[in-house]
């Protein structure tokens, strides 16, 4: 009889524990999320994916758009703390300036999960983990594609000189995406056996927007029209703006000037199909699923990797027509 009672007690205990676990998992999580803004096709796809994934996961999402201002992100995170959310997620618009607000979140015992861009903090324990993209590798892939293309097609400087001149449209100053892509590009250039063939003629931020990409490329063309052989744009939106300036200057994009950018959004696939861009390096914005899976693990007290990268490919123009229908963003 004693054995039966013992088994019943164990069974009852297990049932209580299971219902407690279920209640923790079933409790609707409230997550505060601070997004940078809506500066590019990529960002819009990232936002849409986060919102769709929150819906799928039954999460109560408090979403804030910072309109490209770090101070708005800091205000939003402070509001999430006051609202006692279960977890805070954010995309750091720039890499630095987060220590104080993350200390406030830590004091409030609210875990922080970073998405997309990297951040530099005095104590890595100020955030639990980062889900995102590897911008240094994206930069390396961009240069290596340009180097392979120029070598295979025997691209010669348009001005008859001995250097293939490259102009660069950089992303948001201080963002890990811009810093990383610049670092990766320069490291791959320095490591190339053909490095003496290339010259970085000009490099300036277009802040990841189409408008600024068009304006900065216009100024490059005014100053260096027939000296420019290659454009590397840190994102597709700036490349699309630059293409408009190149055409307005009476030059043929992708022919007179080789064009490579990063993101792989639908707009650049359309440009490649029209023969106006040469390649795009994928930077995957569809991080929502991994974000909320990881968020639930963190709230449930499970250990998670400090940094997880999403899968990313490279798409040259000749693949654009076939790949375009499969693109999700
Ligand atoms: C990259 C992401 C960048 C995209 C841009 O991870 O942060 O920000 O490349 C976007 O298009 O604006």
């Amino acid at each position: 009889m004693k054995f039966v009672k013992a088994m019943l007690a164990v069974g009852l205990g297990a049932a209580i524990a299971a219902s407690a676990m279920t209640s923790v998992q079933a409790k609707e999580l409230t997550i505060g999320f601070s997004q940078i803004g809506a500066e590019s096709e990529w960002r819009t796809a990232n936002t849409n994916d986060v919102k769709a994934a929150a819906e799928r996961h039954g999460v109560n999402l408090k979403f804030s758009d910072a309109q490209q201002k770090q101070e708005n992100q800091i205000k939003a995170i402070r509001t999430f703390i006051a609202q006692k959310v279960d977890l805070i997620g954010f995309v750091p618009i720039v890499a630095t300036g987060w220590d104080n607000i993350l200390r406030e979140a830590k004091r409030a015992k609210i875990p922080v999960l970073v998405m997309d861009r990297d951040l530099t903090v005095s104590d890595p324990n100020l955030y639990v983990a980062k889900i995102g993209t590897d911008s240094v590798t994206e930069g390396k892939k961009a240069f290596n594609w340009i180097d392979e293309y120029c070598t295979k097609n025997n691209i010669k400087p348009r001005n008859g000189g001995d250097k293939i001149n490259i102009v660069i449209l950089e992303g948001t100053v201080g963002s890990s995406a811009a810093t990383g892509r610049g670092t990766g590009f320069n490291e791959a250039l320095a490591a190339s056996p053909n490095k003496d063939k290339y010259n970085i003629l000009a490099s300036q931020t277009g802040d990841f927007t189409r408008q600024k990409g068009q304006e900065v490329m216009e100024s490059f063309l005014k100053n260096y029209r027939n000296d420019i052989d290659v454009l590397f744009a840190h994102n597709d939106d700036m490349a699309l703006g630059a293409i408009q300036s190149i055409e307005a200057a009476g030059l043929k994009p992708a022919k007179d000037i080789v064009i490579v950018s990063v993101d792989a959004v639908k707009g650049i696939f359309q440009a490649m199909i029209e023969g106006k861009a040469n390649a795009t390096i994928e930077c995957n914005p569809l991080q929502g699923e991994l974000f909320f899976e990881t968020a639930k693990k963190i709230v449930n007290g499970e250990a998670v990797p400090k940094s997880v990268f999403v899968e990313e490919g490279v798409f040259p123009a000749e693949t654009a027509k076939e790949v375009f229908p499969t693109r999700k963003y």
Side-chain angles (χ1 to χ4, degrees), residues 191-242:
S192 166
N194 307 312
K195 64 176 185 279
D196 295 335
K197 272 172 50 181
Y198 301 101
N199 170 55
I200 308 278
L201 187 60
S203 185
Q204 190 178 327
T205 183
D207 207 18
F208 282 135
T209 69
R210 187 173 184 145
Q211 178 61 37
K212 291 216 181 109
Q214 183 178 356
E215 290 166 7
V216 175
M217 190 66 200
E218 196 177 335
S219 72
F220 284 164
L221 287 160
K222 273 206 183 77
N223 296 328
Y224 312 108
R225 189 181 187 282
N226 291 325
D227 296 331
I228 302 171
D229 302 299
V230 176
L231 163 65
F232 168 46
H234 283 185
N235 83 333
D236 295 337
D237 286 62
M238 293 190 291
L240 291 168

Side-chain angles (χ1 to χ4, degrees), residues 9-170:
V10 167
L12 188 58
I16 290 167
S19 69
M21 269 306 285
T22 315
S23 67
V24 168
Q25 278 159 355
K27 168 182 175 292
E28 184 194 52
L29 288 185
T30 297
I31 292 180
F33 191 91
S34 167
Q35 177 61 289
I36 288 178
E39 74 282 3
S40 61
E41 281 185 51
W42 192 97
R43 186 63 54 207
T44 303
N46 178 241
T47 290
N48 293 341
D49 188 65
V50 164
K51 290 180 175 174
E55 191 80 25
R56 282 198 306 273
H57 280 264
V59 165
N60 170 25
L61 184 70
K62 292 179 178 294
F63 185 88
S64 157
D65 177 326
Q67 310 281 319
Q68 301 295 325
K69 290 186 171 59
Q70 181 177 27
E71 63 264 27
N72 289 346
Q73 290 198 282
I74 291 169
K75 278 186 206 136
I77 293 170
R78 193 162 281 129
T79 302
F80 297 148
I81 292 169
Q83 292 169 332
K84 296 185 175 24
V85 297
D86 297 302
L87 179 136
I88 292 170
F90 80 113
V91 177
I93 185 166
V94 292
T96 55
W98 304 104
D99 279 57
N100 293 338
I101 191 65
L102 293 183
R103 279 199 201 94
E104 289 178 37
K106 198 158 187 72
R107 277 198 295 275
K109 295 187 175 29
I110 298 175
V112 175
L113 178 55
V114 177
M115 176 191 272
D116 180 21
R117 294 184 183 173
D118 287 310
L119 69 174
T120 307
V121 286
S122 56
D123 171 4
N125 294 317
L126 286 174
Y127 66 97
V128 178
K130 182 227 162 183
I131 308 285
T133 55
D134 181 352
S135 50
V136 172
T137 300
E138 291 156 359
K140 286 182 177 168
K141 287 177 181 176
F143 176 78
N144 290 334
W145 194 91
I146 289 167
D147 194 15
E148 190 182 333
Y149 179 85
C150 290
T151 306
K152 201 161 59 177
N153 293 281
N154 194 23
I155 299 292
K156 294 284 180 228
R158 278 191 308 124
N159 64 10
D162 60 353
K163 295 283 184 186
I164 293 175
N165 285 320
I166 302 170
V167 293
I168 299 175
L169 291 170
E170 299 170 11

Side-chain angles (χ1 to χ4, degrees), residues 227-265:
D227 296 331
I228 302 171
D229 302 299
V230 176
L231 163 65
F232 168 46
H234 283 185
N235 83 333
D236 295 337
D237 286 62
M238 293 190 291
L240 291 168
I243 286 167
Q244 290 175 269
S245 296
I246 291 168
E247 290 181 312
L251 293 170
K252 292 189 187 64
K255 294 170 187 65
D256 294 325
I257 296 177
V258 177
I259 299 173
V260 175
S261 52
V262 184
D263 278 352
V265 296

